[in-house]
Amino acid sequence: MDPEIGKCSTSQKKNSWKATLLLAYQSLGVVYGDLSISPLYVYKSTFADDITHSESNKEIYGVLSLVFWTLTLVPLFKYVFIVLRADDNGQGGTFALYSLICRHAKVSLLPNRQAADEELSTYRHECPPEANYKSRIKVLLEKHKNLHIALLIVVMLGTCMVIGDGVLTPAISVYSAVSGLQLSMSEVHQEYVVVPITCFAILCLFVLQHYGTHRVGFLFAPIVLTWLLCISALGICNIIQWNPHIYKALSPYYMFKFLKETRKAGWMSLGGVLLCMTGSEAMFADLGHFSYTSIQIAFTLFVYPALILGYMGQAAYLSRHHKNDTSYHIGFYVSVPEWVRWPVLVIAILVSIVGSQAIISGTFSIINQSQCLGCFPRVKVVHTSNKINGQIYIPEINWMLMVLCVAVAVGFRDTKHMGNASGLAVITVMLVTTCLTSLVIILRWHKSPLLALCFLFFFGSIEALYFSASLVKFLDGAWLPILLALFLMIVMFTWHYATTKKYEFDLHNKVSLDWLLALGNSLGITRVPGIGLVYSDLVSGVPANFSHFVTNLPAFHHILVFVCIKYIPVPFVPPAERYLVGRVGPPDHRSYRCIVRYGYRDVHQDMDSFESELIMSLAEFIQSEASYHGNQHSNVVDGQLTVIGSLLPRDYEFEESIQQARSSTQSLSERNVKELEPVDSVKKVRFQIEDTDCSKKDGPAREELEDLLTAREAGTAFILGHSHVHAKPGSSIMKKIAINFGYNFLKRNCRGPDVALRVPPASLLEVGMVYVL
């Protein structure tokens, strides 16, 4: 072997390991803040009502055994070794699992699906197309639409519980950290100190959100690392000082003995034990910011041992202290020596803020993904960092979360009710992840349904046990996440239902291409200078809002572009594959169609760069078409689209599905129904993009490019529909309530499409449309 090659390979491995260890260190502050702070309230929530700490120590030994095996089986085995591998191009979370399922089985309810989307590089298939995997589960899922709806409801439920966790986690984390002040004051003054300080810390946390976490993010990892070292040292000291044999309680014997002797009371106390898993879902949700190896190293080498030592230290202290004269005798701070209690209190408050910051950012992220997939009303998304992708801030959601967090802290005022509420939200998200991962095992990993069933049964039974223990605490705080989830589910499902119905209305009322081509000077239609961008959700045909516009104002722009912004069930769409461009009508009509594709984690460009890229894509399309057709225009069927991007290779070949020509006698409704179905006929088209300057083009292509340049100098107008929605006469009462009241209320109180698309007001033209759904 060449010694130089060996040196290079060794150097790359060292750099790779250095980068991985650096990511593992950075992940401590982003991923593990919420999980690391759980020792503050696990024991206190567990011993709140149902069980007591007796002289025999059987309860404390049983709870320690339960905590140890819960942390080992769920965060370690389930998430670190299994679920983290179910990534979507490196991304994790509920929507990552859903997008994987939608790509490997036709279960998506998004109506504007195209076969060309499957040619995206991020629309990755692990098996070749000719070896298409079929299973009974896949066939069953694709056959029944009710299962598609049920799957979407499950995903929405997980999403709503994540949002609910964004309300509860900051409240219980900060309150538990601040409650350490109780040991330094009388019970009379506790009520007037702990709650106000908690509310003040929560207010500061949310007020500073619009600055973004990148400004102070470098402090997160040292804070969490200091906290982990702190609870590890405290745990070791307490073990040595109070009970060196506490390690025996890690045996599962104590866990089963505890459940056998305490029976119903022990089962009900599991609602507090499950709080030791709070924040485990962040390992999967934040996978896109780190790597699988870095998260695995951080948890197995740092977080897991520190948490186990921390819980063992608390149990060792409590096994020698059985006083019941105070309400906080079982809390975390009683096991902290007095001479370090204040420094530990300060670190705990800082870690609670770091953990709360992580869950708030995760809430922003999942709401943004929900609105990208048409499941949440439009909100304003602000990207707080130009360098770090994914750091966003949503003003409306931020202030709502702040009000709800403060209300929870003031309303509950104890960790028992907060813990019951937070536990139910956490365990519901875990159950949803287990169900979706079992489908991924079958559909993506192509494993036996029996293996998926074993995964579902083993981890699902553990989580179902904890879920039942949390659900029984409905009146003691668990009602809050259920109420929040119910409200959010109604909002999300109403918005998704109305959005889908609007698309179907547009599809059934679109105008034929012949009507567009018939518009001319003979009918009094004027072509005005400039570029007109007509926004629509349709991927083919002429939208009804354009016909409404021309009917009332008989003029449209010299360059006409029908723009469709659509979202694909992938995390990112490469810039080189973002634009699908084609013609609408003959070349001399100067009408085009541009489908702009985004993933659910993509960052939208500002309107200036979007307009520039769109026009550059049109220019590249004109050049590539001229090169392919030998500078002679041919009649292009509406629906044949070219992938345009500056990063494309010189020779790029892809398969584009085009619809078969339909007979003129076919009814409009039949055409629309068929368009929603997958198309089997495939035409292979080869496009060659050459490095030829616009000035060197001759003939029609040069003239077309000059027209495009002239139109751009004249200005661009953005034509958007402004919809008014009503339910059809004779519709059911539920539909009338959902459409006439629910959807219209949400539409009036959310951001308009012009804000979501960042359209400049001076160039905006809105066309009023009445939708009867």
Side-chain angles (χ1 to χ4, degrees):
M1 184 182 73
D2 191 345
E4 295 296 327
I5 296 177
K7 290 179 181 178
C8 180
S9 176
T10 304
S11 175
Q12 287 181 351
K13 287 183 179 179
K14 287 182 179 179
N15 290 335
S16 175
W17 275 107
K18 286 181 180 179
T20 302
L21 291 176
L22 180 61
L23 283 175
Y25 168 73
Q26 292 173 341
S27 70
L28 293 176
V30 177
V31 178
Y32 298 109
D34 189 14
L35 185 61
S36 300
I37 204 69
S38 57
L40 287 177
Y41 45 78
V42 168
Y43 284 129
K44 190 171 183 180
S45 298
T46 304
F47 288 91
D49 276 334
D50 306 301
I51 56 175
T52 57
H53 182 206
S54 65
E55 294 286 343
S56 64
N57 287 326
K58 63 180 180 180
E59 294 87 2
I60 197 68
Y61 288 166
V63 170
L64 175 61
S65 182
L66 280 167
V67 168
F68 172 75
W69 287 105
T70 301
L71 282 172
T72 302
L73 292 176
V74 179
L76 185 62
F77 286 168
K78 175 191 166 184
Y79 279 95
V80 171
F81 293 114
I82 300 177
V83 175
L84 284 181
R85 296 184 181 275
D87 65 295
D88 181 12
N89 292 281
Q91 301 298 315
T94 305
F95 275 99
L97 293 172
Y98 182 60
S99 68
L100 279 176
I101 295 170
C102 290
R103 296 212 304 274
H104 291 81
K106 298 173 183 177
V107 296
S108 175
L109 293 176
L110 291 176
N112 56 356
R113 180 173 158 268
Q114 288 178 290
D117 299 334
E118 299 181 11
E119 300 298 329
L120 289 168
S121 59
T122 48
Y123 206 110
R124 187 175 60 189
H125 291 278
E126 287 71 19
C127 61
E130 61 268 17
N132 192 19
Y133 178 77
K134 285 284 185 181
S135 70
R136 292 182 180 179
I137 303 295
K138 180 178 180 180
V139 173
L140 183 67
L141 279 174
E142 293 179 343
K143 184 178 179 181
H144 299 284
K145 189 175 180 181
N146 290 335
L147 293 179
H148 304 178
I149 298 174
L151 182 62
L152 181 64
I153 290 175
V154 169
V155 173
M156 285 184 178
L157 176 62
T159 302
C160 294
M161 285 299 181
V162 171
I163 298 172
D165 197 24
V167 173
L168 297 165
T169 295
I172 188 173
S173 297
V174 177
Y175 184 89
S176 299
V178 176
S179 63
L181 295 172
Q182 293 175 337
L183 296 177
S184 303
M185 61 185 67
S186 63
E187 293 186 7
V188 178
H189 297 92
Q190 290 174 12
E191 185 178 353
Y192 301 102
V193 175
V194 176
V195 174
I197 292 179
T198 300
C199 294
F200 177 75
I202 291 174
L203 290 173
C204 293
L205 177 64
F206 283 98
V207 167
L208 297 175
Q209 286 298 314
H210 70 280
Y211 291 108
T213 58
H214 64 284
R215 300 182 189 274
V216 293
F218 66 94
L219 293 174
F220 287 179
I223 290 173
V224 176
L225 181 60
T226 303
W227 171 253
L228 292 173
L229 294 175
C230 178
I231 62 175
S232 300
L234 289 172
I236 293 173
C237 291
N238 284 325
I239 291 171
I240 295 173
Q241 182 177 0
W242 300 112
N243 191 349
H245 301 289
I246 193 67
Y247 67 89
K248 294 180 179 179
L250 301 181
S251 170
Y253 165 77
Y254 290 93
M255 175 177 63
F256 292 114
K257 181 181 178 182
F258 168 78
L259 293 174
K260 182 180 179 180
E261 294 185 2
T262 56
R263 298 183 181 274
K264 182 180 179 180
W267 165 65
M268 294 179 68
S269 68
L270 294 179
V273 175
L274 74 87
L275 293 175
C276 69
M277 301 185 289
T278 303
S280 300
E281 188 71 21
M283 286 191 286
F284 185 48
D286 292 328
L287 183 60
H289 298 104
F290 304 97
S291 64
Y292 168 77
T293 307
S294 64
I295 291 180
Q296 188 180 44
I297 290 174
F299 184 78
T300 54
L301 297 184
F302 296 100
V303 181
Y304 178 74
L307 289 175
I308 297 301
L309 287 173
Y311 286 117
M312 289 177 65
Q314 289 185 63
Y317 177 88
L318 294 173
S319 67
R320 296 293 183 265
H321 297 80
H322 306 90
K323 57 181 179 179
N324 294 308
D325 55 338
T326 59
S327 60
Y328 45 84
H329 76 280
I330 204 76
F332 169 79
Y333 289 102
V334 294
S335 63
V336 179
E338 291 186 10
W339 60 276
V340 293
R341 190 167 291 167
W342 284 102
V344 171
L345 175 66
V346 172
I347 298 172
I349 293 175
L350 292 176
V351 174
S352 68
I353 293 174
V354 170
S356 302
Q357 174 61 57
I359 193 64
I360 293 169
S361 299
T363 304
F364 292 158
S365 178
I366 201 164
I367 288 177
N368 184 42
Q369 295 172 35
S370 301
Q371 74 166 354
C372 287
L373 296 179
C375 296
F376 202 86
R378 288 182 296 266
V379 290
K380 182 180 180 181
V381 178
V382 179
H383 296 274
T384 58
S385 175
N386 296 324
K387 298 179 181 179
I388 305 174
N389 186 28
Q391 289 195 1
I392 60 175
Y393 165 70
I394 303 177
E396 302 97 315
I397 302 300
N398 182 68
W399 305 126
M400 290 181 184
L401 289 178
M402 183 188 74
V403 172
L404 290 173
C405 280
V406 172
V408 168
V410 174
F412 285 156
R413 300 186 191 181
D414 64 4
T415 55
K416 181 184 77 171
H417 291 86
M418 294 182 194
N420 294 336
S422 179
L424 183 63
V426 168
I427 201 64
T428 305
V429 176
M430 290 184 174
L431 271 171
V432 170
T433 301
T434 300
C435 295
L436 296 180
T437 304
S438 63
L439 288 177
V440 170
I441 291 174
I442 299 173
L443 300 175
R444 184 194 179 190
W445 294 351
H446 303 164
K447 301 298 182 182
S448 168
L450 182 61
L451 181 64
L453 186 62
C454 291
F455 173 85
L456 179 63
F457 177 77
F458 181 75
F459 292 106
S461 59
I462 295 173
E463 292 160 357
L465 179 64
Y466 282 117
F467 179 79
S468 63
S470 295
L471 195 60
V472 80
K473 301 291 185 68
F474 180 83
L475 297 178
D476 293 329
W479 59 267
L480 181 58
I482 295 176
L483 182 63
L484 286 173
L486 181 63
F487 174 76
L488 290 170
M489 286 278 288
I490 293 173
V491 169
M492 294 175 72
F493 199 79
T494 300
W495 187 267
H496 182 270
Y497 174 77
T499 302
T500 305
K501 289 297 181 183
K502 281 180 62 180
Y503 179 84
E504 293 177 1
F505 181 90
D506 283 334
L507 192 62
H508 285 76
N509 291 275
K510 68 179 182 179
V511 183
S512 66
L513 182 61
D514 294 335
W515 177 89
L516 177 65
L517 299 179
L519 297 176
N521 296 329
S522 59
L523 299 177
I525 301 295
T526 305
R527 301 292 291 266
V528 298
I531 299 175
L533 302 181
V534 183
Y535 283 83
S536 170
D537 292 330
L538 297 178
V539 295
S540 63
V542 180
N545 64 343
F546 177 72
S547 64
H548 191 59
F549 171 73
V550 174
T551 303
N552 290 275
L553 183 64
F556 57 92
H557 297 80
H558 185 67
I559 301 293
L560 191 64
V561 185
F562 296 99
V563 181
C564 173
I565 307 289
K566 65 178 297 189
Y567 294 91
I568 315 296
V570 295
F572 301 103
V573 173
E577 303 173 41
R578 189 176 306 284
Y579 295 91
L580 272 172
V581 183
R583 289 192 183 277
V584 179
D588 56 0
H589 199 270
R590 300 295 191 263
S591 298
Y592 309 91
R593 181 179 311 285
C594 183
I595 299 175
V596 189
R597 303 178 291 185
Y598 289 99
Y600 55 82
R601 283 188 179 269
D602 267 324
V603 178
H604 280 248
Q605 312 105 303
D606 60 87
M607 189 47 67
D608 290 336
S609 73
F610 173 78
E611 182 183 348
S612 300
E613 288 184 14
L614 182 64
I615 293 172
M616 285 299 298
S617 299
L618 291 175
E620 288 186 28
F621 167 74
I622 295 169
Q623 294 180 58
S624 65
E625 187 186 53
S627 302
Y628 175 70
H629 293 295
N631 219 21
Q632 296 293 325
H633 289 303
S634 63
N635 292 326
V636 181
V637 180
D638 181 31
Q640 290 180 339
L641 301 170
T642 309
V643 175
I644 296 296
S646 59
L647 300 179
L648 283 174
R650 294 288 181 265
D651 247 346
Y652 180 72
E653 182 178 300
F654 74 101
E655 293 182 355
E656 171 65 29
S657 293
I658 57 174
Q659 300 167 8
Q660 296 288 346
R662 301 182 177 91
S663 61
S664 58
T665 58
Q666 190 177 21
S667 67
L668 179 63
S669 62
E670 290 175 343
R671 295 203 306 268
N672 291 332
V673 170
K674 287 189 176 181
E675 189 167 345
L676 289 171
E677 297 175 353
V679 184
D680 295 325
S681 60
V682 175
K683 179 180 178 181
K684 187 171 285 188
V685 187
R686 193 176 196 81
F687 295 104
Q688 199 168 16
I689 301 175
E690 300 175 354
D691 289 331
T692 53
D693 190 74
C694 297
S695 60
K696 297 180 182 179
K697 290 286 181 185
D698 295 320
R702 176 186 174 87
E703 182 182 347
E704 194 170 0
L705 289 170
E706 289 177 349
D707 286 348
L708 181 63
L709 181 62
T710 303
R712 183 183 185 184
E713 293 175 351
T716 303
F718 301 85
I719 304 172
L720 276 70
H722 185 81
S723 59
H724 301 271
V725 182
H726 302 286
K728 289 181 181 178
S731 300
S732 64
I733 296 177
M734 290 297 295
K735 184 176 180 179
K736 288 181 178 179
I737 293 174
I739 299 296
N740 295 344
F741 298 99
Y743 178 76
N744 283 327
F745 175 80
L746 293 173
K747 184 177 176 296
R748 285 194 302 269
N749 292 277
C750 72
R751 303 282 181 169
D754 55 324
V755 177
L757 297 172
R758 303 180 183 180
V759 175
S763 305
L764 175 64
L765 290 174
E766 287 191 314
V767 182
M769 287 287 297
V770 177
Y771 288 81
V772 182
L773 306 179

